[in-house]
Amino acid sequence: LGCSSLTSITIPESVTSIGDSAFLDCFRLTFITCKAATPPTIGGSDTFYWVDKSIPVYVPAGYVEAYKVAEGWREFTNILPLANEYTLAVSSAGYATLYLDYTVAIPEDVEVYIASSVEGDRLMMTEVEGVLPANTGVIVKAKPGTYAFVESDDTPANVEGSMLTGTTTSTYITAAPGHKYYVLAQKEGVVGMYRPKLTNGQFLNNANKA
């Protein structure tokens, strides 16, 4: 209420309602980000009173139309899809795999590699720099922590010859006869690509993993 110096707000995905006059007189707002898939209920006509209704309002992709017809939100004329973002956790092993179905910028302090060939029992890797193309399985090297991979419209790097693939949902993969499958794992302190344990000829590939 009356925060005239406020230039932007981010509404978390857990928010289900916004009270009347919550952003009354916040006339310096330049954009609003609302991460809730379901448009939060607006408490009254004064919730966004004196807020410019032409500023961008970023909402989860796929829910733009829901916001355009929702009470209180439909007054805004520039409702846009929020860029996809995936948070990758890297364990103490220092490595992880990643597979996304949208193009992303590679964060700073992160190295990303495709599997380019196999020589004997060694996996040869080629680094990918800049922007990672969609539907590309990669190995990520970084210090333990979490890293945000944000959707990008920039030209992606060339990953021709990539050998890794993956799934965007947790999926049981059926091992085809004559084929060998490998997943990233750490055994006896050694990080590498190991054969997964099969159950009824299948193994589980976790969501967004290669």
Side-chain angles (χ1 to χ4, degrees):
L1 171 63
C3 296
S4 59
S5 61
L6 198 62
T7 58
S8 66
I9 54 175
T10 298
I11 301 168
E13 59 185 16
S14 58
V15 172
T16 58
S17 64
I18 302 174
D20 192 22
S21 303
F23 300 106
L24 174 68
D25 286 342
C26 297
F27 55 85
R28 285 195 173 89
L29 282 174
T30 57
F31 69 91
I32 297 171
T33 299
C34 187
K35 296 185 176 182
T38 300
T41 302
I42 301 300
S45 59
D46 288 340
T47 299
F48 291 108
Y49 193 74
W50 282 114
V51 174
D52 182 0
K53 299 306 187 296
S54 68
I55 64 173
V57 177
Y58 298 99
V59 303
Y63 296 91
V64 171
E65 295 305 316
Y67 276 82
K68 285 184 176 181
V69 298
E71 187 70 30
W73 294 103
R74 62 190 180 198
E75 298 176 11
F76 290 93
T77 60
N78 193 19
I79 299 177
L80 302 169
L82 188 64
N84 286 309
E85 180 177 325
Y86 182 79
T87 301
L88 176 69
V90 177
S91 71
S92 59
Y95 290 89
T97 63
L98 179 65
Y99 181 88
L100 298 171
D101 59 0
Y102 49 90
T103 299
V104 293
I106 298 173
E108 293 184 8
D109 301 322
V110 170
E111 297 175 16
V112 171
Y113 297 89
I114 61 169
S116 51
S117 65
V118 175
E119 296 182 6
D121 60 356
R122 300 178 64 190
L123 179 66
M124 310 306 293
M125 302 191 300
T126 301
E127 187 170 4
V128 180
E129 297 181 342
V131 178
L132 178 66
N135 304 309
T136 304
V138 292
I139 295 173
V140 176
K141 180 182 179 182
K143 293 180 179 179
T146 57
Y147 300 88
F149 286 75
V150 181
E151 186 173 16
S152 174
D153 292 327
D154 293 338
T155 302
N158 181 8
V159 293
E160 185 176 353
S162 176
M163 298 177 65
L164 289 174
T165 187
T167 57
T168 56
T169 59
S170 292
T171 304
Y172 281 95
I173 307 296
T174 300
H179 289 71
K180 294 181 180 179
Y181 299 82
Y182 296 87
V183 295
L184 185 70
Q186 185 175 20
K187 294 185 178 182
E188 298 180 355
V190 179
V191 178
M193 301 298 288
Y194 295 93
R195 300 282 298 275
K197 182 179 179 180
L198 299 180
T199 302
N200 296 324
Q202 295 182 320
F203 69 93
L204 178 64
N205 192 70
N206 291 319
N208 300 115
K209 297 299 181 183

